[in-house]
Amino acid sequence: MNCLFVGAGSIAPEYAAGLSGSSLSLAGVVDLDEERAASLAADHSCPSFTDLETALERVDAPLVVNLTSHAAHAPVTRTALEADRHVYSQKPLALDAAEAGDLVALARDRGLALGCAPGTPRAPSQRRAGRLLADGRLGPVGLGYAHAHVGRVTDWHDRPDSFLEIGPLYDGAVYPLALLVSWFGPVDRVRVADALDVWPEREERRPSTPSHVEATLAFAAGPTVRLTASFYAPHRSREFYGLELHGDDGSLYLKGTGAMDDDRDAVRFGRVGREYVSAPPASPEGPYEYVDAVERLAASVEAGSPSRAGGRRGAHVVAVCNAIEAAAEGGGPVAVDDHGATADPPAAPVVRPEATTPDGSGAAAIRLPAVGFGCSRYRDGEYVERADSIATALDAGYRLLDSAELYGNEHRIGELLAAPGAPDRERVFLLGKAWRTNHRRENLLAACAGSREELGIDAFDCYALHWPSALEHRGELTRLAEKPVERQEALTFPEGADGEPATADVSLATAWENLEAVHDRGWARTLGICNVSRAQLEAVLEAGEVDPALVQVERHPYHPRNGLVEFCHERGIRVVAHSPLSAPGLLDEPVLGEIAADRGLSPAEVVVAWNASRGVVPIPSSTSEPHVVANLAAGSVRLTADEIARIDALRDPDFER
């Protein structure tokens, strides 16, 4: 769609930079500064103008992008709407709420689209924070603290006059306000507000409105938020556009409500009674670009449903700013018109077995997170308590837990999942595994029932055979972690009189048939098998009535199992990689260090990314918080074909544990 830029100041090149990768094209540029308009237009081979009416007559552009100074936004938008052009406006939509409401009404009456910046509620870290909210992690949200420290505009902007005229509310506070409204819906009232004229005496240019504003806002369906907007507080202070929310069950910190890029520490979560943990991106997501919101508005027009949701939200944000000024001058509370604004939060993440394709090829497969978390207690030759690291993993955002009756800590996982601040059940993929001593039907059914009870769940997302071969049953394995180590070993690795493993006469085909009984009872949504060869997997596929949805094997660069991975993906079977980082000497390999240095990663993160890049889900079982967070973040990295090939070359045909 052709668009006309009105305003060629410092923000215009930022919008124009994303045009080449969008469905939009620049058909003309308007600016009162003839030279500035011509310069931007020349970069995009389009005409330039100094008069808006002339441009509207001559340029075939259904969409006007209003990038003028703050005070000019409303009149320019009105002129464009009256010329039957759709409009996307830089923030604010207007400086007066009534005027902003009139613009929305004008767009509605003419059937036109009207959008307004900021579009950053859809930026990566903001969406991740929103999904965490939708995940139910905070519980009911009661309080919030939002900052908009725009800073000394006379220091960082070459043309600060427009900023100094309007103050920090209309340029800075709009970022946290737009985000909060998108999450919680409209502000009901401004409870109280205050404004200060603090400014350095040495500065010749001063704001013509208060330079520092504080207000307490009551949202109609959400928290009470204290908002601080300031030109005086430097933008490099501890808080720039930070937002902190506190709920009954946990707290959320977002580093930047107006951020466009992302990093692993941009979002942090802390359930009640625990420290904040970074919640990094767990899947690939590109940075937000200014033009993204314009392109979405254009798409609504092309779909025949011109959107005015952004305009309504923009009008409400202006109404909030007006109400803050009124409360600061005459006292609160001051009611706020919602202007039809509604909440539009990200959808809650749901992890359940649904048809998808792991890497764009092969048969449909269940949907899984890019990285899971291993819950085994066995670390470096000894058993360790894992409750704290599993809680950290859940707080960081892991949504696949690899459990097993062998690990003896299912009840601990159940306690964590039932505690305040835990994700909802449908947000976590639970993989359970029956141990080798329970392959007979009666033992297998009892094991699954016991595990479900310990975890507090109705059904597993996937229940699997831990190993294909069977051992003799010597007793129940309930809460192994609470038994002496000698007893644990006797139950899980039984020996005969000769000291050799005491095997059981249960074939793999029979064990799989017994596992299918779990599925028939509705105790597992899907079935899986672990530590198998391709021949064993083929035997299961041949003999069983329910195909495995998941195969878990040891996989790392020394032992990549690429043939098995390809075989599984061709048949819609997901592959989960256990022990992805623990092969002796692996993380010291020079090639991993080289790729890590190039990527700004650690060798361990490179291995996690290598798995994720192949559509394989690694399940590292780290116990330190930094490693827990880093491994999850590595799931958002995709390696190049060359990098994957260099790592594949580490394959060692003689590798053995």
Side-chain angles (χ1 to χ4, degrees):
M1 179 180 289
N2 284 345
C3 57
L4 173 68
F5 277 18
V6 184
S10 59
I11 195 65
E14 301 290 346
Y15 277 84
L19 289 173
S20 60
S22 76
S23 60
L24 304 174
S25 57
L26 188 56
V29 179
V30 184
D31 196 283
L32 295 176
D33 185 324
E34 183 176 4
E35 183 177 342
R36 194 162 63 175
S39 176
L40 181 61
D43 291 339
H44 295 270
S45 303
C46 65
S48 63
F49 306 86
T50 57
D51 176 70
L52 176 57
E53 285 76 9
T54 302
L56 291 171
E57 290 176 0
R58 296 183 182 179
V59 175
D60 180 17
L63 177 59
V64 167
V65 183
N66 184 354
L67 306 176
T68 56
S69 60
H70 304 88
H73 289 170
V76 167
T77 295
R78 177 174 292 279
T79 298
L81 290 173
E82 289 175 343
D84 289 323
R85 300 300 204 277
H86 308 285
V87 179
Y88 183 86
S89 174
Q90 252 295 83
K91 41 82 180 170
L93 185 62
L95 297 177
D96 176 77
E99 188 170 22
D102 288 344
L103 293 175
V104 175
L106 178 59
R108 181 195 63 226
D109 293 344
R110 289 177 175 260
L112 298 169
L114 178 61
C116 182
T120 44
R122 289 183 174 267
S125 63
Q126 293 87 324
R127 288 185 60 79
R128 190 161 75 257
R131 287 192 293 268
L132 201 153
L133 269 176
D135 207 6
R137 305 301 309 279
L138 274 67
V141 180
L143 292 174
Y145 303 93
H147 299 84
H149 291 166
V150 183
R152 314 283 172 80
V153 291
T154 50
D155 290 340
W156 58 262
H157 203 284
D158 58 351
R159 296 191 180 190
D161 293 344
S162 176
F163 296 84
L164 295 174
E165 290 172 2
I166 65 164
L169 282 175
Y170 297 94
D171 184 75
V174 295
Y175 287 105
L177 286 174
L179 182 61
L180 289 165
V181 171
S182 74
W183 285 348
F184 299 109
V187 174
D188 179 66
R189 65 191 183 281
V190 177
R191 293 170 56 91
V192 65
D194 196 9
L196 302 175
D197 288 316
V198 59
W199 197 250
E201 289 294 334
R202 65 176 180 274
E203 290 282 355
E204 294 183 4
R205 292 181 292 185
R206 304 178 63 85
S208 54
T209 60
S211 61
H212 183 93
V213 180
E214 298 196 7
T216 303
L217 314 176
F219 282 77
T224 297
V225 176
R226 186 196 69 193
L227 171 68
T228 301
S230 184
F231 278 167
Y232 185 77
H235 67 282
R236 291 186 177 87
S237 60
R238 185 178 62 180
E239 291 291 354
F240 181 24
Y241 280 103
L243 171 66
E244 190 169 31
L245 297 175
H246 301 289
D248 292 359
D249 301 334
S251 298
L252 164 70
Y253 178 74
L254 173 63
K255 185 177 179 180
T257 56
M260 300 179 68
D261 292 327
D262 197 7
D263 66 70
R264 68 176 56 173
D265 298 317
V267 179
R268 296 174 65 82
F269 170 77
R271 69 171 77 187
V272 171
R274 292 182 59 85
E275 297 289 336
Y276 273 115
V277 174
S278 292
S283 58
E285 189 167 6
Y288 176 84
E289 296 191 24
Y290 283 99
V291 78
D292 289 349
V294 183
E295 189 172 25
R296 280 197 305 276
L297 190 72
S300 76
V301 173
E302 292 175 336
S305 301
S307 174
R308 290 176 288 277
R312 291 192 294 269
R313 186 183 68 194
H316 176 61
V317 167
V318 173
V320 175
C321 294
N322 285 182
I324 291 173
E325 291 176 325
E329 183 175 344
V334 177
V336 183
D337 189 334
D338 63 23
H339 286 277
T342 57
D344 183 26
V350 176
V351 180
R352 62 162 64 101
E354 290 184 1
T356 186
T357 304
D359 58 0
S361 62
I366 57 173
R367 182 174 61 194
L368 295 177
V371 180
F373 194 71
C375 300
S376 170
R377 294 182 299 117
Y378 196 70
R379 298 277 300 177
D380 301 323
E382 62 181 10
Y383 294 102
V384 299
E385 175 57 57
R386 295 298 310 281
D388 186 69
S389 59
I390 296 170
T392 297
L394 286 171
D395 290 352
Y398 284 84
R399 290 298 177 267
L400 185 156
L401 296 184
D402 172 67
S403 68
E405 60 173 345
L406 175 71
Y407 304 157
N409 54 7
E410 291 168 315
H411 63 296
R412 299 294 189 202
I413 298 172
E415 290 168 358
L416 291 171
L417 292 174
D424 295 339
R425 171 64 187 94
E426 291 302 311
R427 317 283 189 247
V428 180
F429 189 100
L430 285 177
L431 168 61
K433 302 190 288 292
W435 185 237
R436 303 168 69 182
T437 58
N438 287 323
H439 280 199
R440 298 190 187 280
R441 178 165 301 206
E442 65 273 16
N443 296 331
L444 201 153
L445 291 174
C448 184
S451 294
R452 288 167 48 241
E453 182 177 357
E454 293 285 72
L455 289 163
I457 61 173
D458 295 326
F460 282 97
D461 296 295
C462 182
Y463 195 62
L465 297 177
H466 207 144
W467 283 85
S469 58
L471 296 176
E472 186 176 299
H473 181 80
R474 294 282 176 89
E476 292 184 357
L477 306 183
T478 305
R479 301 200 179 189
L480 275 175
E482 298 178 356
K483 303 180 189 299
V485 173
E486 294 79 6
R487 180 60 177 159
Q488 295 180 39
E489 297 288 346
L491 287 171
T492 54
F493 295 98
E495 296 180 352
D498 58 359
E500 293 298 312
T503 60
D505 186 19
V506 183
S507 69
L508 177 56
T510 299
W512 186 261
E513 182 182 350
N514 295 338
L515 190 70
E516 290 180 333
V518 169
H519 185 269
D520 293 342
R521 283 165 169 77
W523 294 357
R525 292 170 174 165
T526 64
L527 301 179
I529 190 166
C530 309
N531 301 300
V532 289
S533 66
R534 174 168 168 173
Q536 290 169 324
L537 178 57
E538 288 177 334
V540 168
L541 290 169
E542 178 72 22
E545 294 185 5
V546 179
D547 287 348
L550 179 152
V551 165
Q552 182 184 120
V553 292
E554 179 177 2
R555 184 180 192 265
H556 45 73
Y558 290 159
H559 195 45
R561 308 294 298 273
N562 286 340
L564 179 64
V565 170
E566 292 173 5
F567 178 83
C568 288
H569 284 179
E570 287 171 357
R571 289 156 181 79
I573 301 171
R574 295 304 305 269
V575 179
V576 173
H578 73 71
S579 310
L581 306 176
S582 60
L586 174 63
L587 300 184
D588 295 323
E589 288 288 349
V591 67
L592 297 180
E594 293 166 5
I595 296 173
D598 291 342
R599 288 278 190 161
L601 303 171
S602 70
E605 291 169 67
V606 171
V607 175
V608 171
W610 170 76
N611 274 292
S613 298
R614 279 283 181 85
V616 174
V617 180
I619 49 170
S621 56
S622 303
T623 55
S624 72
E625 180 185 322
H627 290 161
V628 169
V629 172
N631 290 337
L632 180 60
S636 67
V637 178
R638 294 295 178 266
L639 302 182
T640 66
D642 177 69
E643 290 170 329
I644 291 173
R646 291 166 62 193
I647 297 172
D648 283 349
L650 293 174
R651 178 178 176 273
D652 179 2
D654 300 321
F655 174 83
E656 289 185 1
R657 284 281 180 182

